[in-house]
Amino acid sequence: MDESSINFHTRKWVRPEDLNANGSLFGGSLLRWIDEEAAIYAIVQLGNYRVVTKFISEINFESSAELGDLIEMGLIATRFGRTSLTMRAVVRNMITRKRILTIDKIVFVNIGEDGKPAPHGYSSITYARDRTPHQHLETGSIHLPAAPTDGSEEG
Protein backbone atom coordinates (compact mmCIF):
# COMPACT_ATOMS: atom_id res chain seq x y z
CA MET A 1 0.00 0.00 0.00
CA ASP A 2 1.41 3.37 -1.04
CA GLU A 3 1.52 5.72 1.93
CA SER A 4 2.59 8.83 0.00
CA SER A 5 -1.02 9.96 -0.52
CA ILE A 6 -2.06 9.43 3.11
CA ASN A 7 -1.82 12.18 5.67
CA PHE A 8 -1.11 11.01 9.20
CA HIS A 9 -2.88 13.28 11.63
CA THR A 10 -4.28 11.17 14.43
CA ARG A 11 -1.87 9.98 17.05
CA LYS A 12 -2.37 7.71 20.04
CA TRP A 13 -0.17 6.80 22.95
CA VAL A 14 -0.37 3.10 23.85
CA ARG A 15 -1.29 2.99 27.52
CA PRO A 16 -1.73 0.09 29.99
CA GLU A 17 -5.52 -0.11 29.44
CA ASP A 18 -4.90 -0.65 25.69
CA LEU A 19 -2.89 -3.85 26.15
CA ASN A 20 -3.92 -7.47 25.68
CA ALA A 21 -2.87 -10.44 27.85
CA ASN A 22 0.42 -10.66 25.92
CA GLY A 23 1.37 -7.09 26.83
CA SER A 24 0.96 -5.71 23.31
CA LEU A 25 -1.69 -3.43 21.83
CA PHE A 26 -5.12 -5.10 21.85
CA GLY A 27 -6.42 -5.28 18.28
CA GLY A 28 -9.94 -4.36 19.41
CA SER A 29 -8.70 -1.07 20.86
CA LEU A 30 -6.91 -0.25 17.62
CA LEU A 31 -9.97 -1.08 15.52
CA ARG A 32 -12.17 1.10 17.75
CA TRP A 33 -9.75 4.03 17.24
CA ILE A 34 -9.72 3.49 13.46
CA ASP A 35 -13.52 3.27 13.22
CA GLU A 36 -13.90 6.47 15.25
CA GLU A 37 -11.31 8.33 13.18
CA ALA A 38 -12.86 7.03 9.94
CA ALA A 39 -16.29 8.25 11.09
CA ILE A 40 -14.88 11.73 11.79
CA TYR A 41 -13.16 11.71 8.39
CA ALA A 42 -16.45 10.70 6.70
CA ILE A 43 -18.37 13.43 8.55
CA VAL A 44 -15.92 16.07 7.31
CA GLN A 45 -15.82 14.72 3.74
CA LEU A 46 -19.60 14.29 3.43
CA GLY A 47 -20.72 17.27 5.53
CA ASN A 48 -23.15 15.20 7.58
CA TYR A 49 -23.13 13.86 11.15
CA ARG A 50 -25.28 10.95 10.02
CA VAL A 51 -22.76 8.46 8.69
CA VAL A 52 -22.50 4.77 9.46
CA THR A 53 -19.86 2.11 8.95
CA LYS A 54 -21.07 -0.20 6.19
CA PHE A 55 -18.05 -2.38 5.47
CA ILE A 56 -14.49 -3.03 6.61
CA SER A 57 -12.38 -5.27 4.39
CA GLU A 58 -9.66 -7.64 5.47
CA ILE A 59 -7.58 -6.23 8.32
CA ASN A 60 -3.87 -6.91 7.96
CA PHE A 61 -1.99 -6.77 11.26
CA GLU A 62 1.64 -6.45 10.14
CA SER A 63 3.38 -5.77 13.46
CA SER A 64 2.59 -4.96 17.05
CA ALA A 65 2.71 -1.93 19.29
CA GLU A 66 3.91 -1.99 22.87
CA LEU A 67 3.27 0.01 26.02
CA GLY A 68 4.47 3.58 25.55
CA ASP A 69 4.62 3.43 21.74
CA LEU A 70 3.30 6.42 19.85
CA ILE A 71 1.23 5.36 16.87
CA GLU A 72 -0.31 7.36 14.08
CA MET A 73 -3.32 6.61 11.93
CA GLY A 74 -3.82 7.76 8.37
CA LEU A 75 -6.89 7.67 6.16
CA ILE A 76 -7.47 8.62 2.54
CA ALA A 77 -10.68 8.67 0.52
CA THR A 78 -10.37 6.33 -2.45
CA ARG A 79 -13.89 6.50 -3.92
CA PHE A 80 -17.00 8.59 -3.60
CA GLY A 81 -20.16 6.62 -4.39
CA ARG A 82 -23.62 8.14 -4.70
CA THR A 83 -24.37 7.61 -0.99
CA SER A 84 -21.03 6.26 0.24
CA LEU A 85 -17.40 7.07 0.86
CA THR A 86 -14.67 4.44 0.62
CA MET A 87 -11.31 5.00 2.27
CA ARG A 88 -8.18 3.10 3.16
CA ALA A 89 -6.30 3.13 6.45
CA VAL A 90 -2.72 2.70 7.58
CA VAL A 91 -1.47 2.64 11.15
CA ARG A 92 2.22 2.91 11.88
CA ASN A 93 4.67 3.50 14.69
CA MET A 94 5.21 7.26 14.79
CA ILE A 95 8.92 7.01 15.60
CA THR A 96 10.08 4.02 13.53
CA ARG A 97 7.43 4.40 10.76
CA LYS A 98 7.00 0.61 10.85
CA ARG A 99 3.51 -0.37 9.67
CA ILE A 100 1.28 -1.90 12.30
CA LEU A 101 -1.94 -2.37 10.33
CA THR A 102 -3.48 -1.77 6.91
CA ILE A 103 -7.11 -1.86 5.78
CA ASP A 104 -7.73 -1.50 2.06
CA LYS A 105 -11.45 -0.65 2.27
CA ILE A 106 -13.58 1.05 4.86
CA VAL A 107 -16.98 2.11 3.55
CA PHE A 108 -19.21 4.68 5.23
CA VAL A 109 -22.74 5.49 4.11
CA ASN A 110 -24.32 8.93 4.27
CA ILE A 111 -27.68 8.74 6.06
CA GLY A 112 -30.64 11.08 5.56
CA GLU A 113 -33.11 12.32 8.15
CA ASP A 114 -35.30 9.29 7.41
CA GLY A 115 -32.48 6.93 8.48
CA LYS A 116 -31.91 5.64 4.94
CA PRO A 117 -28.90 6.06 2.63
CA ALA A 118 -28.94 9.51 1.04
CA PRO A 119 -26.95 11.02 -1.84
CA HIS A 120 -24.20 13.33 -0.62
CA GLY A 121 -23.24 15.07 -3.86
CA TYR A 122 -19.44 15.00 -3.44
CA SER A 123 -16.80 13.49 -5.69
CA SER A 124 -13.50 14.81 -4.34
CA ILE A 125 -11.54 15.04 -1.11
CA THR A 126 -11.56 18.26 0.87
CA TYR A 127 -8.62 19.33 2.99
CA ALA A 128 -10.42 22.35 4.39
CA ARG A 129 -13.21 22.29 6.93
CA ASP A 130 -15.70 23.77 4.51
CA ARG A 131 -17.95 20.71 4.62
CA THR A 132 -17.91 20.30 8.40
CA PRO A 133 -21.54 20.29 9.53
CA HIS A 134 -22.56 23.25 11.68
CA GLN A 135 -25.62 21.69 13.22
CA HIS A 136 -26.29 18.46 15.08
CA LEU A 137 -29.91 17.44 15.65
CA GLU A 138 -29.30 16.19 19.19
CA THR A 139 -27.40 19.23 20.42
CA GLY A 140 -28.68 22.03 18.18
CA SER A 141 -26.48 24.52 16.44
CA ILE A 142 -22.77 24.40 16.90
CA HIS A 143 -21.15 27.81 16.75
CA LEU A 144 -17.69 27.52 15.24
CA PRO A 145 -15.30 30.43 14.76
CA ALA A 146 -15.23 31.69 11.19
CA ALA A 147 -12.33 30.33 9.18
CA PRO A 148 -9.81 32.94 8.05
CA THR A 149 -10.35 33.84 4.40
CA ASP A 150 -6.78 34.95 3.68
CA GLY A 151 -5.25 31.47 4.06
CA SER A 152 -3.66 32.22 7.42
CA GLU A 153 -4.40 30.29 10.57
CA GLU A 154 -5.73 31.85 13.71
CA GLY A 155 -4.03 30.95 16.89
Side-chain angles (χ1 to χ4, degrees):
M1 178 180 292
D2 177 26
E3 294 178 20
S4 63
S5 61
I6 296 179
N7 293 318
F8 291 89
H9 292 292
T10 304
R11 294 169 179 94
K12 292 284 190 179
W13 186 16
V14 179
R15 301 180 320 175
E17 61 268 24
D18 304 319
L19 302 178
N20 60 26
N22 297 318
S24 59
L25 177 59
F26 176 57
S29 294
L30 182 54
L31 293 174
R32 182 181 71 241
W33 297 340
I34 292 167
D35 192 42
E36 179 179 10
E37 186 61 24
I40 293 167
Y41 186 83
I43 288 167
V44 170
Q45 295 301 319
L46 302 180
N48 183 7
Y49 279 104
R50 291 185 193 98
V51 298
V52 294
T53 309
K54 168 73 172 160
F55 176 80
I56 298 177
S57 71
E58 179 178 294
I59 300 160
N60 186 12
F61 290 96
E62 297 183 27
S63 65
S64 186
E66 306 296 326
L67 180 64
D69 282 352
L70 301 175
I71 64 168
E72 53 190 359
M73 294 180 280
L75 295 163
I76 187 77
T78 58
R79 181 178 180 278
F80 285 82
R82 190 176 70 81
T83 64
S84 65
L85 170 65
T86 302
M87 59 190 93
R88 71 175 178 230
V90 176
V91 178
R92 66 185 182 188
N93 182 299
M94 190 174 130
I95 306 303
T96 67
R97 308 275 190 207
K98 184 174 183 179
R99 269 196 257 167
I100 295 170
L101 172 145
T102 58
I103 302 173
D104 285 333
K105 278 177 126 176
I106 303 173
V107 179
F108 272 79
V109 174
N110 189 62
I111 302 295
E113 289 184 30
D114 61 358
K116 296 180 180 172
H120 50 70
Y122 296 109
S123 61
S124 65
I125 298 170
T126 183
Y127 292 102
R129 295 184 182 204
D130 57 337
R131 293 184 201 159
T132 304
H134 295 279
Q135 183 176 1
H136 189 282
L137 289 179
E138 298 297 320
T139 60
S141 294
I142 298 171
H143 301 284
L144 302 173
T149 58
D150 62 358
S152 65
E153 291 197 23
E154 295 178 347

